[in-house]
Amino acid sequence: MTHQIETLQRFIDEAEKIVFFGGAGVSTESGLPDYRSNTGTYTELERQQLDPKKIMSKRYLLNYPEKFFNRPNTRKNTEAPKPNAAHLYLAELEKQGKDVRIITQNVDGLHQAAGSKLVVELHGNNRHFHCMECGREYKLNEIQRDEQNIPRCPIDNGIIRADVILFGENLKPGILDRAKELMASSDLLIIAGTSLTVNPSKNLIRYFKGKRVVVINKTPLTIDLPVDLAIEDAVGKVFQQLTV
């Protein structure tokens, strides 16, 4: 065990309330590409000289639903990704009695699949769907698509969309307040797998008033808080070396 891993283990063991603030880099080892990575949706749109913030907006969805649901790199219904070592470690830590709070920018539900019970999903999720006309809720396997591949409600033909926050949309009421509350009341902050470039998520760390800050990321981060430990490595690989 390296000195950095030993230090992280000690920080976790000594902490009373841990807040884990994660981004896309937490799920890459589960086979999900980073949204802004070379193979991610954002980059693929830019490669085709398309504006991701326009294409992935609610306005574009309403005005051009066929283009929205057939955009480049849209994930197909392939085998579901599985939690990796990071998700599993955090869930086991909570199961053994540690107060672990997870704030995630991801929409994949892998923390819940691993067993974590306190998860705040800032940007919504891709597991629940609703009709934009009548509000009826649907599961993925219940969705019917028309000849243009647009998900349609069988009752009123409204567009069915995932409960994911699109560009130009605000976070759901109460979500940001809950995240701020968890951040402010924790004594160890672990920032993992995120570039901290998206508002309002990137400003959340300013509410942390606790004792220690850890950053786990493949590339260096510049943040507004003093960092006690910085590990430049894959998130799952780091957590795989820890013990509960």
Side-chain angles (χ1 to χ4, degrees):
M1 186 179 284
T2 67
H3 175 68
Q4 285 187 319
I5 298 298
E6 288 177 350
T7 302
L8 176 58
Q9 183 74 67
R10 178 168 59 85
F11 285 179
I12 290 173
D13 291 344
E14 293 176 356
E16 292 187 5
K17 298 177 181 179
I18 301 169
V19 59
F20 179 89
F21 184 45
V26 179
S27 296
T28 52
E29 289 159 278
S30 293
L32 293 173
D34 186 325
Y35 188 62
R36 296 173 187 265
S37 72
N38 191 48
T39 58
T41 302
Y42 198 98
T43 307
E44 182 61 30
L45 288 168
E46 288 186 321
R47 192 176 289 126
Q48 299 192 25
Q49 298 184 327
L50 298 171
D51 182 356
K53 292 183 179 179
K54 176 183 176 182
I55 303 296
M56 296 295 296
S57 69
K58 182 178 180 180
R59 178 177 294 182
Y60 193 86
L61 164 60
L62 291 172
N63 292 337
Y64 309 101
E66 181 180 359
K67 291 182 179 180
F68 180 90
F69 288 104
N70 292 283
R71 64 192 183 276
N73 222 25
T74 302
R75 182 173 174 81
K76 306 302 179 185
N77 297 333
T78 56
E79 184 179 352
K82 293 181 173 57
N84 62 50
H87 304 106
L88 296 170
Y89 178 84
L90 292 166
E92 184 61 26
L93 202 59
E94 184 184 34
K95 184 179 179 181
Q96 296 301 322
K98 183 72 77 172
D99 188 341
V100 179
R101 302 98 173 271
I102 294 168
I103 302 172
T104 180
Q105 299 172 72
N106 299 332
V107 299
D108 50 49
L110 290 178
H111 284 293
Q112 293 93 325
S116 289
K117 303 300 183 187
L118 204 172
V119 182
V120 175
E121 295 176 303
L122 291 175
H123 299 156
N125 70 80
N126 62 3
R127 305 177 307 283
H128 303 125
F129 303 81
H130 68 274
C131 172
M132 298 178 72
E133 290 292 332
C134 65
R136 284 183 172 84
E137 298 180 356
Y138 293 92
K139 297 178 182 178
L140 180 61
N141 61 3
E142 297 172 335
I143 295 176
Q144 302 172 22
R145 293 175 181 260
D146 64 17
E147 62 278 0
Q148 297 175 317
N149 197 42
I150 301 170
R152 293 288 185 182
C153 175
I155 305 300
D156 56 20
N157 206 42
I159 296 173
I160 297 175
R161 59 165 287 188
D163 291 346
V164 173
I165 303 298
L166 300 173
F167 283 109
E169 291 187 304
N170 295 322
L171 301 190
K172 287 189 175 181
I175 289 291
L176 196 56
D177 288 339
R178 178 61 170 151
K180 290 175 182 178
E181 173 192 332
L182 295 176
M183 190 72 72
S185 61
S186 301
D187 59 306
L188 171 61
L189 167 61
I190 301 175
I191 301 169
T194 175
S195 59
L196 287 181
T197 57
V198 179
N199 280 319
S201 302
K202 71 176 185 179
N203 294 319
L204 264 178
I205 62 172
R206 297 178 182 176
Y207 291 87
F208 180 74
K209 307 297 181 186
K211 185 177 180 182
R212 290 167 172 159
V213 176
V214 174
V215 174
I216 306 171
N217 207 49
K218 285 187 174 181
T219 56
L221 287 185
T222 301
I223 65 173
D224 295 334
L225 296 175
V227 177
D228 299 278
L229 177 64
I231 302 176
E232 292 181 24
D233 209 340
V235 182
K237 182 179 176 183
V238 170
F239 279 92
Q240 198 168 21
Q241 301 174 67
L242 300 172
T243 57
V244 176

